[in-house]
């Protein structure tokens, strides 16, 4: 009768010792080692790489935000430095600014003036809304019996949001048109060689005067709309003087400069009147615009 291994059941020859136990001991640690290597070295790598990539992207994003904030701070500081310098010394300040024109500063000045202009008109019409609302309340109280329960409802409130947006856009456009007018007249009258960017800087000199006066008009208009309107109108006169001073470095001939500035102002008034005739309904309450056929008498 043959001998068999009591562990694996394999038939053994005489004197043979089965090596099944030794084989299992060598295979199991080997497999566990491979398994450990796989888990410890391969699986965490994508996670670590993704985490590192996220940290890198977040770091780059923060650096970009900080760089943009620093650039904006430098730009705003330079913008207000120019405005303050010109307000303190209009003639010398404007000459220094125009002789070294920077279009980005000029655009910022024009946009700031336009925002203040939109704010001033919005405040003015808000006061008008309050006055109209009070007046309509008194009228409805006095003549309410005439309407009875007919459900008559009148909306005579000026559209403040639309007024602000339209005013800002139109003010920016008007300054751009004025720069083009000055450019054309300068070429026609004095054979000037200045480009549109230089003329945009010249026009922004006028805007500096309006920034100061419009800010004051907003404060005064909050207390008394009519006084605010008078203040704003006075600023329009000052802006003409600023425009003339701004044109000095670009139009060297003083005699021709007078006519260039004068004709530019006349033409921009005409353009403004035409635009008002075409778009005045944007400023009016809905019930008023629907009550006539669009003709202004």
């Amino acid at each position: 009768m043959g001998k068999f291994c009591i562990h694996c059941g394999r038939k053994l020859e005489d004197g043979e010792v089965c090596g099944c136990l030794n084989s299992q001991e060598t295979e199991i640690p080997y497999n566990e080692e491979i398994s450990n290597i796989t888990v410890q070295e391969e699986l965490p790598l994508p996670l670590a790489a993704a985490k590192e990539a996220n940290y890198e992207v977040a770091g780059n994003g923060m650096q970009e935000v900080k760089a943009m904030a620093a650039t904006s701070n430098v730009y705003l500081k330079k913008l207000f430095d120019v405005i303050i310098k010109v307000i303190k010394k209009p003639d010398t300040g404007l000459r220094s600014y125009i002789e070294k024109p920077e279009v980005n500063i000029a655009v910022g000045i024009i946009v700031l003036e336009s925002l203040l202009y939109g704010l001033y008109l919005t405040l003015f019409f808000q006061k008008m809304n309050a006055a109209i609302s009070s007046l309509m309340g008194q009228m409805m109280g006095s003549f309410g019996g005439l309407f009875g329960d007919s459900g008559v409802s009148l909306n005579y409130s000026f559209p403040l949001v639309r007024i602000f947006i339209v005013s800002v856009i139109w003010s920016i456009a008007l300054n751009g048109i004025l720069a083009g007018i000055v450019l054309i007249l300068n070429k026609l009258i004095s054979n000037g060689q200045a480009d549109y960017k230089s003329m945009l800087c010249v026009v922004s000199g006028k805007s500096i005067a309006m920034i100061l006066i419009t800010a004051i008009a907003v404060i005064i208009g909050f207390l008394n709309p009519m006084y605010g309107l008078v203040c704003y109108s006075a600023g329009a006169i000052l802006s003409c003087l600023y425009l003339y001073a701004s044109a000095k470095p670009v139009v060297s001939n003083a005699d021709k400069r007078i006519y260039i500035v004068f004709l530019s102002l006349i033409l921009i008034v005409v353009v403004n009147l035409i635009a008002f005739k075409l778009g005045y309904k944007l400023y009016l309450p809905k019930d008023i615009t629907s009550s006539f056929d669009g003709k202004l008498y």
Side-chain angles (χ1 to χ4, degrees):
M1 183 175 178
K3 294 174 63 178
F4 297 90
C5 177
I6 61 174
H7 297 289
C8 65
R10 188 171 66 86
K11 185 177 180 180
L12 302 174
E13 299 295 334
D14 291 340
E16 181 183 2
V17 178
C18 184
C20 64
L21 293 178
N22 294 332
S23 175
Q24 291 178 1
E25 290 177 359
T26 57
E27 290 177 2
I28 293 174
Y30 177 78
N31 291 337
E32 290 180 351
E33 183 180 358
I34 297 299
S35 177
N36 289 338
I37 292 174
T38 302
V39 172
Q40 293 177 2
E41 294 186 5
E42 293 182 3
L43 290 179
L45 285 178
L47 297 176
K51 187 179 293 185
E52 184 177 354
N54 289 335
Y55 287 150
E56 184 177 355
V57 170
N60 292 337
M62 288 299 297
Q63 290 178 357
E64 291 179 1
V65 170
K66 290 180 179 179
M68 291 176 61
T71 303
S72 300
N73 290 336
V74 172
Y75 174 78
L76 291 175
K77 183 179 183 304
K78 191 170 186 178
L79 176 70
F80 284 102
D81 284 346
V82 170
I83 294 173
I84 293 172
K85 182 179 178 180
V86 170
I87 291 174
K88 287 182 176 179
K89 297 181 178 180
D91 189 63
T92 57
L94 286 170
R95 179 178 292 277
S96 175
Y97 166 58
I98 301 301
E99 286 178 348
K100 297 179 181 179
E102 295 186 53
V103 179
N104 59 336
I105 297 297
V107 171
I109 291 171
I110 291 172
V111 170
L112 181 57
E113 180 215 351
S114 301
L115 290 172
L116 287 171
Y117 174 67
L119 178 61
Y120 167 73
L121 283 186
T122 303
L123 177 63
F124 181 82
F125 282 105
Q126 190 273 334
K127 294 289 186 179
M128 293 286 290
N129 280 346
I132 291 173
S133 176
S134 176
L135 180 61
M136 293 299 295
Q138 294 176 6
M139 291 178 61
M140 293 297 291
S142 300
F143 303 102
L146 297 177
F147 297 99
D149 297 328
S150 60
V152 173
S153 177
L154 299 177
N155 180 17
Y156 286 155
S157 295
F158 290 95
L160 300 181
V161 175
R162 188 167 65 197
I163 286 174
F164 176 79
I165 295 174
V166 172
S167 299
V168 171
I169 294 175
W170 177 237
S171 178
I172 294 173
L174 200 65
N175 280 287
I177 294 171
L178 178 59
I181 292 174
V182 177
L183 175 67
I184 294 173
L185 291 177
N186 183 44
K187 289 184 179 296
L188 293 177
I189 296 176
S190 66
N191 197 25
Q193 301 301 317
D195 58 7
Y196 182 78
K197 293 180 179 179
S198 298
M199 290 307 178
L200 200 62
C201 293
V202 170
V203 171
S204 69
K206 171 195 71 67
S207 297
I208 293 176
M210 292 308 302
I211 287 173
L212 173 63
I213 299 301
T214 307
I216 297 174
V218 168
I219 298 172
I220 296 176
F222 184 79
L223 301 174
N224 189 306
M226 295 309 299
Y227 288 159
L229 182 61
V230 172
C231 179
Y232 184 83
S233 301
I237 300 173
L238 180 63
S239 69
C240 297
L241 301 176
Y242 270 58
L243 180 62
Y244 179 81
S246 298
K248 285 182 180 180
V250 178
V251 185
S252 57
N253 190 316
D255 295 327
K256 293 181 179 180
R257 187 191 314 130
I258 293 174
Y259 291 108
I260 289 173
V261 172
F262 173 73
L263 292 175
S264 298
L265 294 173
I266 293 297
L267 290 175
I268 202 63
V269 168
V270 173
V271 171
N272 206 12
L273 289 175
I274 294 173
F276 176 76
K277 180 67 181 294
L278 295 175
Y280 69 93
K281 290 202 299 182
L282 294 173
Y283 286 81
L284 297 180
K286 182 178 178 181
D287 285 346
I288 293 179
T289 57
S290 62
S291 64
F292 52 87
D293 59 0
K295 293 183 179 180
L296 183 64
Y297 295 99

